[in-house]
């Protein structure tokens, strides 16, 4: 019998602001365990919330593991490694409170709500055959959403940062021009125009599906059968990064215990489809080496998922590219987007801004955008920036031409 | 496995006297079962029990929260939170009404975790195998989830409740491919008794057969269209377009929003009435008492086109000087309650669907929902579209997204049918801030709308 135990320990303090009032403090300290027992070619999954001994966990596994599911794949090689990240300063919540109060005073025409959470997390994965992996570290996740008084909207914009050590001043300074121009709605016409996606996960949805080893070999995704082919512009290099302590990602192994030799993983290299993502189970089924993408919560089975996708940095900062464009739409929030199975993407833009020759001129009117994944990464591609749009996000942004439909 | 905790809780806290404005304790004892079958193979089968408490203390207008699994320490935790330094100086009394004891643990003997795992797996395997009868299906994943939960609650006003929640569902996703055409779709099943998930073979087969017809359907030309929404799409429209805007927490500190949302204002067509009500038993929106002890009630948000109400927690009702509505809900014991919907729907009208169809030639009929969202512009991604031809005949078209401005669309409603369906989902739900998916239900009649943006 083999077993492994994923143990997530999280201690968190969260300060909340609601409607311009700092009104709640939440503390939590929770232990979560995910137990996998392997016996006679089967896998048995159980989980527990709350502290427990090894004996308790194994007893529950036997009592509650059910009939099990077939498992014939290999296990991660025995390996011991512990990495300790930096702990957080206790003054962060106080600083968040002070900066938020200053913001409220400076911008009385806006109403701010949000949270700042300090999380100290320890994740370990141990097995009875020599796997002993542990990572720990702190992360701060904070956001403020704002409503313009009288706009009638639930949300007119946001600040957000996930990092080891937040820089509230830098974020506020960056957002100041956007707050200042909020009341001016820029004039733009429907038609093709340059668009900057702060986060390109949504338009890339059908490409991301194609990275899954299962979808790829089942021939049920857009780019099935196109591995090693040149699909996009040579400016496109897309990575999947597992370990990134600066962004608060301290876990250097996947949830099966695979530690990547090369992290980040190159998925698209200079436009060429370079790699799929795979876990141990599918590595056996499809004879494809695991890429350390077997991921699970403490209470679920393993699924093949990317860790943190991002573009490799391009040549110029985004503002330099925008200076050479007559106009550019910045897509800040686009909740409700959808991609069809042909890779055509459309979305209303909930919050957007317009730059002309590199100058912020106003908020975008109500509009929607339409593009296709293939075009936006090839013939319509303008640039991948060398920097992130939001300070500290670590994500270079996609600037491409898209169809804009002003309502 | 889940048990009652209210008696122990009242005994432990019976002599507790704190100096705060208010306190409450919510214990949730839960078992979730999830099973996944992909391409004929059971790839996941797990049981997740959890037991924990969410504890709140309000002092001078400031809330202290704690989530814990140490339920024997609740009294100590309350006392500790009561000693936390005051952070606000609000002095107006926070008066919370005491409600009668609500005790409705009714599914204990038929809790879904009692159904043998083998029985659940066999059913899921059988349903997933049906996809292999359709030659164009290249991928299928069927997921089963059930939840049984007992909630126990006590607050400083003396309100106590204990009730259970039992639901199961299957979500079957599949992808069809024919040459270069790909079409993805999903079917959902829901029940509060396991036996009601049986004998769905024909429903699944018919659904897949219809999906296959979309492989070669033309893609709709983007533009503005007259649309007829099915009850499922109408439900998501109601939830996303208007329901979220009725949540009073987004009006806190924003007098202008309150003016714009002043009750009595005409905001929709005369035929439009929208309700939220957590009292609908055997639905995923069932919430007979909210997570602060306020009983469910039938809340008219819009009645005959007029804004008549909004959704509240104790705090938002206190801040806005209105009454709590039973809409303060948390995802589980790890989270604080937020203002959330329960079962939200458009009330039916009087005309039959056939009568409406006679007047709907040229409109797009939209059915099934992949997802929806609602901010300044709401959007819904319907799974199937049909152009309504003469004599009620329909031609299939592929639609990606419909979207629009909430207020314009509410005024553009032309007709609502007499039919009515409340849609439930045991796997998906509503997301708000960090908390999701929260079980909700939504629905309504068939709804004819003069114009919507379709792409």
């Amino acid at each position: 019998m083999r077993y492994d135990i994923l143990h997530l320990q999280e201690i968190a303090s969260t300060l909340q602001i609601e409607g311009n009032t700092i009104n709640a403090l939440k503390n939590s300290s929770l232990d979560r365990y995910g137990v996998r027992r392997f016996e006679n070619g089967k896998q048995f999954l159980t989980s527990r919330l709350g502290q427990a001994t090894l004996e308790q966990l194994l007893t529950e596994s036997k009592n509650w593991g059910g009939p099990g599911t077939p498992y014939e794949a290999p296990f991660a090689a025995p390996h011991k490694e512990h990495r300790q990240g930096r702990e957080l300063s206790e003054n962060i919540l106080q600083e968040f409170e002070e900066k938020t109060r200053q913001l409220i005073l400076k911008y009385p025409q806006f109403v701010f709500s949000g949270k700042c959470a300090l999380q100290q997390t320890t994740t370990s994965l141990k097995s009875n055959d020599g796997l002993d992996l542990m990572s720990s570290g702190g992360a701060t996740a904070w956001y403020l959403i704002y409503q313009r008084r009288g706009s009638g909207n639930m949300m007119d914009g946001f600040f957000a940062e996930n990092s080891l050590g937040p820089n509230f001043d830098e974020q506020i300074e960056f957002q100041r021009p956007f707050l200042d121009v909020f009341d001016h709605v820029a004039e733009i016409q429907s038609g093709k125009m340059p668009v900057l996606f702060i986060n390109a996960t949504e338009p890339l949805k059908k490409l991301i599906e194609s990275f899954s080893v299962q979808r790829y070999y089942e021939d049920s995704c857009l780019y099935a059968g196109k591995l090693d082919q040149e699909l996009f512009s040579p400016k496109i290099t897309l990575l999947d990064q597992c370990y990134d302590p600066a962004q608060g990602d301290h876990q250097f192994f996947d949830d099966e215990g695979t530690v990547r030799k090369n992290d980040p993983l190159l998925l698209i290299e200079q436009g060429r489809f370079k790699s799929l993502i795979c876990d141990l189970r599918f590595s056996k089924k499809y004879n494809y080496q695991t890429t350390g993408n077997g991921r699970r919560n403490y209470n679920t089975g393993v699924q093949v998922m990317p860790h943190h996708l991002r573009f490799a940095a391009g040549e110029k900062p985004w503002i330099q590219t925008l200076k050479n464009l007559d106009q550019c739409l910045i897509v800040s929030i686009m909740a409700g987007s959808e991609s069809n199975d042909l890779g055509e993407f459309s979305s209303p833009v909930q919050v957007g801004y317009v730059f002309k020759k590199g100058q912020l001129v106003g908020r975008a009117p109500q509009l929607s955008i339409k593009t296709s994944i293939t075009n936006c990464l090839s013939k319509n591609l303008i640039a991948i920036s060398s920097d992130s749009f939001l300070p500290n996000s670590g994500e270079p942004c996609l600037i491409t031409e898209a169809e804009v439909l002003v309502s | 496995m889940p048990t009652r905790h209210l008696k122990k809780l009242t005994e432990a806290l019976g002599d507790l006297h704190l100096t705060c404005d208010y306190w409450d304790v919510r214990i949730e004892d839960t078992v979730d079962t999830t099973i996944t079958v992909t391409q004929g193979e059971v790839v996941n089968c797990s049981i997740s029990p959890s037991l924990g408490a969410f504890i709140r203390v309000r002092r001078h207008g400031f809330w202290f929260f704690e989530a814990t699994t140490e339920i024997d320490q609740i009294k100590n935790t309350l006392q500790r939170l009561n000693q936390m330094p005051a952070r606000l100086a609000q002095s107006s009394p926070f008066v919370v009404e005491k409600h009668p004891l609500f005790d409705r643990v009714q599914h204990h003997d038929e809790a879904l975790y009692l159904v043998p795992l083998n029985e659940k797996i066999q059913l899921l395997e059988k349903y997933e195998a049906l996809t292999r009868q359709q030659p164009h299906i290249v991928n299928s994943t069927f997921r089963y989830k059930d939840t049984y939960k007992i909630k126990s609650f006590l607050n400083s006003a003396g309100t106590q409740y204990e009730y259970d929640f039992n639901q199961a569902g299957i979500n079957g996703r599949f992808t069809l491919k024919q040459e270069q055409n790909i079409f993805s779709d999903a079917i959902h099943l829901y029940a509060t008794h396991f036996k009601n998930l049986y004998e769905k073979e024909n429903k699944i087969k018919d659904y897949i057969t219809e999906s296959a017809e979309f492989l070669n359907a033309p893609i709709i030309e983007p533009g503005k269209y007259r649309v007829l929404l099915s009850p499922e799409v109408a439900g998501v429209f109601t939830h996303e377009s208007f329901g979220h805007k009725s949540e009073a927490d987004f009006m806190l500190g924003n007098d202008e929003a309150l003016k714009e949302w002043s009750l009595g204002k005409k905001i929709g067509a005369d035929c439009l009435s929208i309700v939220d009500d957590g009292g609908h038993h055997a639905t995923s929106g069932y919430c007979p008492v909210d997570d602060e002890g306020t009983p469910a009630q039938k809340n008219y948000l819009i009645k005959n086109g007029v804004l008549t109400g909004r959704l509240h927690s104790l705090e938002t009702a206190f801040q806005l000087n209105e009454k709590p509505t039973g809409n303060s809900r948390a995802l589980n014991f790890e989270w604080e309650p937020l203002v959330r919907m329960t079962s939200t729907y458009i009330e039916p009208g009087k005309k039959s669907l056939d009568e409406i169809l006679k007047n709907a030639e040229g409109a797009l009929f939209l059915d099934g929902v992949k997802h929806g969202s609602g901010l300044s512009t709401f959007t819904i991604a319907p799974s199937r579209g049909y152009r309504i031809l003469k004599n009620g005949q329909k031609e299939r078209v592929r639609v990606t997204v419909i979207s629009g401005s909430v207020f314009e669309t509410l005024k553009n409603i032309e007709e609502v049918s007499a039919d009515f369906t409340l849609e439930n989902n045991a796997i998906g739900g509503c997301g708000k801030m960090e908390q999701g998916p929260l079980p909700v239900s939504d629905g309504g009649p068939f709804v004819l709308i003069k114009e919507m943006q379709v792409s």
Side-chain angles (χ1 to χ4, degrees):
Chain A
M1 188 259 284
R2 180 196 186 267
Y3 65 79
D4 64 32
I5 295 173
L6 181 69
H7 178 196
L8 312 169
Q9 189 180 38
E10 185 187 274
I11 300 168
S13 287
T14 306
L15 193 63
Q16 174 180 291
I17 168 170
E18 199 168 42
N20 275 357
T21 304
I22 292 169
N23 70 346
L25 177 68
K26 175 181 167 184
N27 288 312
S28 62
S29 172
L30 295 169
D31 287 82
R32 298 173 172 88
Y33 298 89
V35 180
R36 300 193 304 166
R37 182 168 52 85
F38 301 89
E39 222 166 350
N40 303 323
K42 285 193 163 183
Q43 169 186 217
F44 303 85
L45 303 178
T46 46
S47 65
R48 186 182 230 272
L49 196 55
Q51 289 183 348
T53 63
L54 176 62
E55 193 183 350
Q56 276 175 313
L57 294 172
L58 293 177
T59 303
E60 286 177 359
S61 170
K62 284 184 178 150
N63 293 342
W64 283 96
T69 56
Y71 189 92
E72 291 170 347
F75 300 113
H79 179 59
K80 180 174 179 176
E81 187 172 351
H82 292 189
R83 290 188 199 172
Q84 180 95 34
R86 212 175 77 196
E87 298 214 346
L88 295 166
S89 156
E90 288 180 0
N91 297 328
I92 292 173
L93 289 184
Q94 198 182 336
E95 196 186 343
F96 171 74
E97 188 169 349
E98 282 168 16
K99 300 297 177 189
T100 304
R101 287 191 198 285
Q102 289 168 16
L103 205 56
I104 292 166
L105 285 174
K106 182 157 177 62
Y107 289 99
Q109 69 273 39
F110 291 97
V111 179
F112 295 90
S113 298
K115 284 180 179 176
C116 180
L118 305 189
Q119 295 159 327
Q120 194 66 38
T121 309
T122 301
T123 307
S124 69
L125 181 63
K126 293 182 181 177
S127 73
N128 60 342
D129 64 355
L131 202 59
D132 180 2
L133 304 170
M134 196 270 283
S135 66
S136 69
T140 307
W142 70 277
Y143 67 85
L144 285 173
I145 59 172
Y146 54 84
Q147 296 169 284
R148 172 71 170 92
R149 292 180 187 277
S151 78
N153 295 327
M154 285 156 38
M155 178 180 184
D156 288 314
F158 70 99
F159 303 65
E161 187 180 11
N162 283 339
S163 66
L164 204 54
N167 189 331
F168 297 108
D169 285 333
E170 191 182 5
Q171 297 288 338
I172 290 168
E173 198 52 43
F174 177 78
Q175 291 283 350
R176 201 181 295 275
F178 296 92
L179 291 166
D180 289 340
V181 300
F182 189 85
D183 289 341
H184 178 67
V185 177
E187 278 188 22
I188 50 173
Q189 305 294 317
S190 294
K192 274 192 172 179
M193 72 178 281
V195 173
L196 181 152
F197 291 96
I198 293 178
N199 181 310
T201 308
E202 285 299 318
L204 297 189
K205 196 172 159 190
K206 289 291 162 184
L207 174 61
I208 295 168
E209 262 178 27
S210 300
F211 293 134
S212 158
V213 68
Q214 185 191 10
R215 297 291 300 267
Y216 185 87
Y217 283 113
E218 279 170 355
D219 193 20
S220 64
C221 56
L222 190 60
Y223 296 105
K226 301 202 168 164
L227 204 52
D228 287 324
Q229 290 185 26
E230 197 168 306
L231 302 178
F232 309 119
S233 157
K235 291 177 186 169
I236 297 293
T237 293
L238 191 67
L239 313 159
D240 179 48
Q241 187 150 6
C242 173
Y243 179 63
D244 190 359
Q247 301 295 320
D249 296 329
H250 298 285
Q251 192 176 324
F252 59 91
F253 49 92
D254 77 353
D255 302 311
E256 297 181 303
T258 302
V259 182
R260 275 185 185 167
K261 283 186 184 133
N262 296 309
D263 186 41
L265 174 72
L266 272 171
L267 297 171
I268 303 285
E269 187 178 27
Q270 295 180 352
R272 190 175 290 275
F273 191 174
K274 195 77 183 165
S275 176
L276 304 173
I277 56 173
C278 188
D279 65 356
L280 288 166
R281 193 167 68 88
F282 286 119
S283 80
K284 179 174 166 72
K285 184 170 181 178
Y286 294 116
N287 194 24
Y288 193 95
Q289 196 169 8
T290 178
T291 54
N293 287 88
R295 305 194 63 194
R296 62 173 158 141
N297 286 325
Y298 78 102
N299 58 354
T300 66
V302 171
Q303 289 182 299
V304 178
M305 288 165 66
H307 292 271
H308 185 177
L309 289 174
R310 63 174 174 81
F311 289 109
E315 290 173 2
K316 287 191 285 190
W318 61 267
I319 190 68
Q320 292 300 328
T321 302
L322 264 55
K323 279 179 182 168
N324 294 323
L325 299 171
D326 288 339
Q327 58 180 359
C328 183
L329 171 71
I330 309 295
V331 178
S332 178
I333 302 175
M334 51 174 182
S337 62
E338 176 64 8
S339 294
N340 67 18
D341 293 303
L342 306 173
E344 291 169 336
F345 166 82
S346 82
S347 177
V349 175
Q350 307 285 358
V351 178
Y353 293 91
V354 177
F355 276 68
K356 291 193 174 175
K357 297 271 187 200
Q359 291 292 316
L360 174 61
V361 294
R363 190 159 49 94
Q366 194 175 56
L367 53 83
S368 56
I369 50 171
K370 192 168 163 50
T371 181
S372 87
I373 173 70
T374 304
N375 288 344
C376 83
L377 296 183
S378 49
K379 70 175 188 186
N380 291 343
L381 180 73
I382 296 169
I384 300 294
S385 65
S386 61
D387 54 351
S388 60
F389 187 82
L390 298 174
N392 284 341
S393 86
E395 292 183 18
C397 40
L398 168 67
I399 307 169
T400 187
E401 201 171 50
E403 195 75 43
V404 171
L405 188 69
V406 180
S407 302
Chain B
M1 284 295 115
T3 54
R4 289 171 173 258
H5 296 274
L6 185 58
K7 190 163 177 277
K8 272 191 192 167
L9 190 62
T10 51
E11 283 169 4
L13 304 182
D15 59 347
L16 185 70
H17 295 288
L18 301 179
T19 54
C20 57
D21 316 334
Y22 170 86
W23 59 261
D24 65 27
V25 177
R26 165 173 45 94
I27 297 178
E28 298 197 15
D29 200 347
T30 309
V31 182
D32 290 325
T33 304
T34 54
I35 305 166
T36 309
V37 176
T38 299
Q39 305 286 85
E41 195 179 339
V42 183
V43 294
N44 178 29
C45 172
S46 65
I47 297 179
S48 302
S50 64
L51 168 60
F54 199 85
I55 301 162
R56 306 192 306 167
V57 166
R58 188 184 191 274
R59 294 187 63 218
H60 304 294
F62 191 90
W63 290 93
F64 295 98
F65 302 147
E66 191 151 317
T68 181
T69 52
E70 295 179 14
I71 61 168
D72 295 338
Q73 299 298 315
I74 287 171
K75 189 172 184 178
N76 292 341
T77 306
L78 277 166
Q79 286 168 331
R80 180 163 45 77
L81 295 181
N82 189 52
Q83 300 298 320
M84 299 283 273
R87 299 177 68 115
L88 289 176
Q90 190 184 83
S91 57
S92 45
F94 186 68
V95 179
V96 175
E97 187 181 344
K98 179 182 177 179
H99 298 285
L101 172 70
F102 181 84
D103 184 352
R104 197 177 290 168
V105 177
Q106 54 191 343
H107 298 291
H108 204 259
D109 297 333
E110 56 199 18
L112 286 152
Y113 74 86
L114 296 172
V115 177
L117 259 178
N118 268 333
E119 207 173 317
K120 297 173 185 174
I121 291 170
Q122 281 166 13
L123 184 70
L124 197 63
E125 285 180 317
K126 184 164 75 172
Y127 286 169
E128 195 272 340
L130 295 173
T131 62
R132 272 178 289 287
Q133 293 176 10
Q134 162 47 252
H136 299 304
I137 287 189
V138 289
N139 166 282
S140 64
T141 296
F142 274 51
R143 189 167 172 230
Y144 169 89
K145 184 178 181 193
D146 68 42
T147 298
Y148 179 70
K149 175 181 287 199
I150 298 180
K151 279 192 184 188
S152 313
F153 176 90
L154 176 65
N155 72 11
S156 54
T159 297
Q160 305 173 24
Y161 71 71
E162 195 155 56
Y163 74 90
D164 59 356
F165 181 78
N166 204 36
Q167 70 167 16
I170 291 173
N171 182 348
R173 294 189 173 278
F174 51 90
T175 305
L176 299 122
K177 188 168 186 180
Q178 187 177 23
E179 296 171 356
Q180 291 310 302
N181 292 337
I182 300 178
F183 185 73
S184 303
D185 208 344
I187 183 166
H188 309 284
L189 304 173
Y190 179 87
T192 51
H193 296 278
F194 190 74
K195 64 177 189 298
N196 293 340
L197 290 174
Y198 280 120
E199 296 175 8
K200 302 294 183 196
E201 289 85 348
N202 288 338
K203 182 178 178 175
I204 295 169
K205 281 194 265 188
D206 291 348
Y207 192 89
I208 293 170
T209 303
E210 177 62 12
S211 293
E213 298 291 336
F214 279 85
L215 266 170
N216 297 306
I219 293 172
I220 193 82
E221 189 66 32
K224 294 201 167 167
Y225 289 83
R226 193 173 181 217
V227 295
L228 177 64
L229 309 182
S230 71
E232 185 182 356
V233 182
V236 174
F237 163 73
T238 308
H239 178 105
E240 299 297 350
S241 75
F242 187 74
H244 279 300
K245 289 205 158 206
S246 300
E247 294 166 343
D249 46 356
F250 106 88
M251 296 170 201
L252 289 180
N254 192 343
D255 294 342
E256 289 78 0
L258 272 176
K259 275 181 211 153
E260 194 180 336
W261 283 76
S262 56
L263 303 182
K265 190 174 173 182
K266 177 83 173 167
I267 60 166
D270 290 343
C271 61
L272 178 69
S273 293
I274 295 181
V275 170
D276 183 275
D277 182 357
H280 289 269
H281 189 248
T283 68
S284 42
Y286 176 61
C287 179
V289 194
D290 76 3
D291 291 337
E292 299 180 316
T294 306
Q297 59 191 54
K298 186 173 184 178
N299 296 306
Y300 272 97
L301 305 176
I302 298 178
K303 195 162 190 179
N304 302 328
V306 175
L307 186 65
T308 47
R310 48 184 145 249
L311 306 177
H312 278 296
S313 62
L314 289 176
E315 184 67 37
T316 61
F318 173 76
Q319 297 286 348
L320 304 185
N321 200 22
E322 294 178 4
K323 294 262 185 212
T325 56
N327 288 88
S328 191
R329 305 180 65 197
L331 182 63
N332 55 40
F333 84 88
E334 296 178 50
W335 294 97
E336 64 279 12
L338 304 173
V339 181
R340 306 298 293 263
M341 283 171 266
T342 57
S343 295
T344 315
Y345 53 88
I346 296 176
E347 284 201 318
K350 289 180 180 161
K351 281 192 182 172
S352 70
L353 176 60
D354 284 344
E355 282 177 278
I356 290 177
L357 280 171
K358 278 180 197 161
N359 178 34
E361 189 187 325
L364 282 179
F365 172 56
L366 302 171
D367 193 15
V369 174
K370 291 180 186 167
H371 62 78
S373 75
L375 285 170
S376 55
T377 304
F378 72 86
T379 64
I380 300 169
S383 45
R384 296 163 173 201
Y386 303 84
R387 200 187 302 274
I388 301 170
L389 307 174
K390 275 185 185 169
N391 308 321
Q393 287 187 313
K394 290 181 282 186
E395 176 188 64
R396 295 174 189 89
V397 286
R398 293 170 75 160
V399 173
T400 306
V401 168
I402 58 171
S403 59
S405 140
V406 177
F407 292 115
E408 279 174 28
T409 310
L410 292 178
K411 284 178 181 156
N412 280 340
I413 291 177
E414 294 179 70
E415 305 267 15
V416 294
S417 77
D419 313 71
F420 178 83
T421 311
L422 208 48
E423 298 287 341
N424 301 292
N425 194 325
I427 294 173
C430 171
K432 181 173 178 179
M433 313 315 279
E434 301 90 345
Q435 296 190 44
L438 181 75
V440 292
S441 57
D442 43 46
F446 291 89
V447 177
L448 186 64
I449 300 175
K450 204 185 299 173
E451 187 180 85
M452 280 178 110
Q453 178 68 40
V454 176
S455 57

